[in-house]
Amino acid sequence: MKVFKYNLKLRSNDLNIVRDFVARGDFSFHNLSKIIMTCLNWTGEKQITYFIESSKIEITDSRIEIPKTMGINFKSDRDSICENFLDKGSKFVMIYGDETPFVFDIEVVDVIYDYEKDAELLNSIGKEPVESCEGEREYMEIVSILNNPDDSKYDETIEWIGKDYLNNTLSIESINENFENLDLILDEENEVEDMSGDSEYSFDIFSDLM
């Protein structure tokens, strides 16, 4: 089958977080969201918004646990197939969260044919941030606290995320095993709501994001 090879990188001056993975080109953006969340060992509890450079389109997936891909004039998952908007060399941005989100730069670095798997993590660099953090700044504060047992917030932070958080990283093999449990079936009849007027982001900031 035809797959895209993606390079995903957190936009950050302090953290080097990279994921290289492949996913079927005929997956919807909702399925792509689930794949990315799995690569990051996140649950997808926050809003996901994509800005695609080539088509100048915004796609919003507000709750990943609901099988819907919400975007501009999309009537079903079939209308938001990745290969209809992306190709080799395509670059786009994923915003995860609301007021202070994590921002990821994504590029389709290759198109591979006759690939045997629907999705696969190929390379992983950097521990994923705490998903519930309000962006990179809060996460860096947590890292600082965890590295300083004398900090007044150390005990409550340990109680929240665990003492071994920084050293507890899932292997690539474990992530790929998790892909087997994902429901990535495309539902052509799954109608979606036009969220183009409800997004917190607008095309006024598109150039800044890219």
Side-chain angles (χ1 to χ4, degrees):
M1 71 189 74
K2 174 183 176 181
V3 300
F4 287 150
K5 181 179 178 181
Y6 295 92
N7 172 264
L8 176 145
K9 185 173 183 179
L10 178 68
R11 188 177 294 184
S12 170
N13 293 324
D14 300 306
L15 299 170
N16 184 27
I17 297 175
V18 178
R19 300 291 185 271
D20 295 305
F21 64 95
V22 297
R24 283 174 52 169
D26 61 354
F27 277 159
S28 68
F29 274 91
H30 174 67
N31 280 334
L32 180 63
S33 296
K34 291 197 284 188
I35 290 168
I36 291 174
M37 292 299 103
T38 301
C39 286
L40 292 169
N41 196 27
W42 284 353
T43 62
E45 63 187 34
K46 299 180 181 180
Q47 176 173 290
I48 300 173
T49 302
Y50 296 100
F51 291 95
I52 305 174
E53 181 179 21
S54 58
S55 56
K56 296 296 189 294
I57 195 169
E58 171 189 347
I59 299 171
T60 300
D61 200 342
S62 65
R63 287 187 298 276
I64 199 170
E65 68 272 13
I66 297 177
K68 294 183 178 181
T69 298
M70 288 172 281
I72 298 175
N73 298 324
F74 288 162
K75 301 304 180 185
S76 70
D77 275 351
R78 177 60 66 182
D79 292 327
S80 64
I81 299 301
C82 291
E83 63 186 2
N84 293 339
F85 300 91
L86 305 173
D87 205 343
K88 183 177 180 179
S90 294
K91 297 179 181 180
F92 57 110
V93 173
M94 185 186 81
I95 298 175
Y96 187 64
D98 298 319
E99 295 181 2
T100 55
F102 291 100
V103 179
F104 293 86
D105 293 298
I106 309 175
E107 181 178 0
V108 180
V109 297
D110 201 2
V111 178
I112 306 173
Y113 294 88
D114 299 325
Y115 204 82
E116 295 182 355
K117 297 183 179 181
D118 292 343
E120 184 176 17
L121 178 63
L122 304 176
N123 181 46
S124 177
I125 300 174
K127 170 71 175 175
E128 75 281 352
V130 178
E131 183 177 8
S132 57
C133 285
E134 294 298 328
E136 180 184 353
R137 178 177 297 179
E138 182 179 3
Y139 175 66
M140 294 305 296
E141 292 175 356
I142 289 175
V143 171
S144 177
I145 293 171
L146 291 177
N147 288 324
N148 182 15
D150 294 329
D151 193 288
S152 60
K153 297 182 180 180
Y154 181 80
D155 290 338
E156 64 182 78
T157 303
I158 288 297
E159 184 177 353
W160 172 30
I161 63 174
K163 185 176 182 180
D164 297 326
Y165 168 78
L166 291 177
N167 298 319
N168 185 14
T169 302
L170 280 181
S171 66
I172 292 178
E173 291 76 15
S174 297
I175 294 293
N176 285 327
E177 287 178 4
N178 291 337
F179 281 136
E180 298 177 4
N181 300 320
L182 284 183
D183 180 13
L184 297 173
I185 298 175
L186 181 64
D187 184 359
E188 297 185 42
E189 303 301 324
N190 175 31
E191 294 189 356
V192 298
E193 181 181 356
D194 184 351
M195 297 288 290
S196 57
D198 297 334
S199 173
E200 188 161 334
Y201 307 102
S202 71
F203 290 112
D204 294 337
I205 65 172
F206 185 87
S207 59
D208 294 332
L209 288 172
M210 300 305 299

